[in-house]
Amino acid sequence: MGRTIFHVDLDAFFVAVERSLDPSLNGRPVIVGGLGPRGVVSTASYEARKYGVHSAMPMAVARRLCPHAVYIRGSHERYRTVSRQFMAILRDYSPAVEPVSVDEAYIDMTGSERLYGPPEQSARLIKERVSADTGVTASIGIGPNRLIAKVASGESKPDGLLLITDDTATAFLAPLPVRKLPGIGPRAAEALGRLGIETLGQLAGTPAGPLRRALGPRQAESLLRRAAGVDNSPVEARTEAKSISAETTFDHDSSDRAHLSGIILELSQRVGAKLRKSGKHAASVTLKLRYSDFSTVTRQTTLHGGPVNGDTAISEAAMRLFEAALRQRHAPVRLIGVGVSGLTEEAGQLSMLNESAPNDTAVSMAMDTIRDRFGPASIRRGRQA
């Protein structure tokens, strides 16, 4: 038997939470995000999306497009509380739950028919439970793998349910625009457009050679597999890691401030990459210093702007701890470590309530992509160049 994978996605999550608290917002265009001059849209209601407003858009642009909307700064704590409820509900139906962000997760429901009935029936049970317990609606895509389930949930929004089987997957994917495939951004779509490729069916039937020349071998091969609906990745039920860290021991002790600062930046980027890969954000940053006499100090700071996953936020906090340590003792160092803790299951949406976090996260993720493709030394931030 094949797998049965659900992708469960809460609809316009932040807006839905605000509406559950204030029903007068129902039916009105509502936009949640940072409201300052550098603010970014985190979530827009479907009424606001009709005017072209979307997540990650500068708030100033959103105000021009939809000046009559209700604008709300939002609350980290409110959304975290509902997110925890949501994830707990999903775990009542299967132990194999992989949170992707604060408002979406994959569930492996393979073999659950005896408990909850056929997939569509169990999906309806989950939808009803989420709505009753949180006041938020969910869209669920059901497929034989993660990829198809993800695309199906997107096509079922809002408040929908869509089942795609092995037999119907090719016909389902073929007419969809290439941007519907997770991982295809604007630039890749432009490159495909220059090859005359507009749909996933066209992409799946394209010879590999032109794609390799346009996108590079690795991305071309991945897109060909995924456009055909091939995805063997498992749903990984994540254990709750308490922290993520990286450290390095020097061949020779160093008291060179510039050198040590560069190492802290490099370690921060390594930690940030691990953090983003885990789908987590961190509330605290820790710096560890071991001196030439083997004495060790550990300093920690809590990030007052809320949990982050961008390299700059981590490195700046680590550098503040380093400067404080230098004021206490300036001696040769043999080991440096950077770590993060206070990990939470939340994604960029919550960070968008912070005026500076979105750019940090976006740049860091772009650098992750480049390093994955061209190697760890392929791109560096300015202080490392």
Side-chain angles (χ1 to χ4, degrees):
M1 289 184 62
R3 296 190 297 165
T4 302
I5 309 299
F6 288 11
H7 181 264
V8 188
D9 197 356
L10 299 179
D11 301 315
F13 177 45
F14 294 173
V15 169
V17 173
E18 297 298 335
R19 284 175 167 171
S20 71
L21 299 172
D22 182 1
S24 72
L25 298 173
N26 291 335
R28 303 170 66 186
V30 179
I31 298 171
V32 177
L35 301 185
R38 299 175 62 195
V40 175
V41 174
S42 175
T43 303
S45 70
Y46 290 97
E47 295 84 355
R49 294 179 195 184
K50 294 177 182 177
Y51 293 88
V53 180
H54 57 78
S55 62
M57 171 182 283
M59 193 63 78
V61 175
R63 289 186 184 276
R64 289 198 297 271
L65 293 173
C66 193
H68 58 290
V70 178
Y71 289 84
I72 301 173
R73 183 179 298 279
S75 164
H76 286 272
E77 194 52 45
R78 260 199 313 271
Y79 307 143
R80 273 197 292 267
T81 298
V82 177
S83 177
R84 292 187 191 108
Q85 288 179 284
F86 168 57
M87 298 299 173
I89 291 169
L90 300 186
R91 291 188 177 102
D92 283 345
Y93 291 87
S94 172
V97 174
E98 181 180 341
V100 179
S101 69
V102 68
D103 60 351
E104 63 175 311
Y106 292 100
I107 319 177
D108 192 333
M109 293 290 286
T110 306
S112 66
E113 288 82 1
R114 288 186 178 182
L115 289 173
Y116 306 112
E120 286 178 291
Q121 181 175 319
S122 57
R124 290 190 188 96
L125 291 174
I126 292 172
K127 281 171 59 65
E128 291 167 4
R129 173 88 180 277
V130 169
S131 178
D133 289 6
T134 70
V136 176
T137 62
S139 295
I140 300 183
I142 307 170
N145 58 47
R146 290 164 52 112
L147 171 67
I148 293 172
K150 167 78 171 176
V151 178
S153 71
E155 292 301 289
S156 72
K157 280 183 164 292
D159 195 17
L161 169 59
L162 182 58
L163 169 65
I164 304 298
T165 66
D166 274 321
D167 293 336
T168 61
T170 299
F172 166 66
L173 292 173
L176 296 178
V178 292
R179 285 297 304 275
K180 296 284 188 176
L181 189 71
I184 293 187
R187 291 186 179 178
E190 281 183 23
L192 294 173
R194 288 193 290 271
L195 296 175
I197 301 170
E198 303 291 340
T199 68
L200 294 181
Q202 291 172 330
L203 176 56
T206 299
L211 283 180
R212 290 194 187 102
R213 289 189 290 272
L215 301 171
R218 183 175 176 179
Q219 187 176 12
E221 291 166 11
S222 173
L223 290 185
L224 283 172
R225 287 195 306 271
R226 292 164 65 79
V230 177
D231 178 13
N232 298 318
S233 58
V235 173
E236 298 179 349
R238 294 195 184 117
T239 56
E240 293 298 319
K242 294 183 179 180
S243 63
I244 294 173
S245 62
E247 62 181 44
T248 187
T249 301
F250 305 138
D251 292 333
H252 304 285
D253 299 345
S254 174
S255 55
D256 184 324
R257 188 169 182 163
H259 173 66
L260 298 177
S261 297
I263 296 297
I264 290 172
L265 176 59
E266 181 181 344
L267 293 173
S268 297
Q269 292 176 178
R270 285 167 53 188
V271 169
K274 291 180 185 178
L275 187 60
R276 290 183 292 277
K277 187 173 182 180
S278 76
K280 301 281 187 176
H281 281 54
S284 300
V285 174
T286 301
L287 178 73
K288 176 181 175 182
L289 295 174
R290 180 167 295 151
Y291 295 101
S292 55
D293 61 1
F294 287 89
S295 62
T296 304
V297 297
T298 302
R299 292 177 173 267
Q300 185 178 66
T301 184
T302 299
L303 300 163
H304 299 295
V308 303
N309 72 347
D311 296 339
T312 299
I314 296 169
S315 63
E316 288 181 350
M319 282 303 303
R320 288 194 295 271
L321 295 172
F322 179 55
E323 296 294 339
L326 285 182
R327 289 193 291 270
Q328 293 292 322
R329 182 182 183 187
H330 197 291
V333 173
R334 64 177 287 107
L335 176 148
I336 292 183
V338 173
V340 293
S341 56
L343 307 187
T344 63
E345 292 175 347
E346 59 184 55
Q349 283 179 300
L350 287 181
S351 293
M352 287 180 186
L353 302 180
N354 180 320
E355 302 298 339
S356 60
N359 287 337
D360 187 10
T361 296
V363 171
S364 298
M365 291 178 70
M367 294 178 70
D368 290 342
T369 301
I370 293 170
R371 291 193 186 102
D372 286 345
R373 183 173 178 184
F374 298 109
S378 58
I379 185 169
R380 298 174 181 270
R381 292 188 182 255
R383 283 175 290 176
Q384 282 185 288

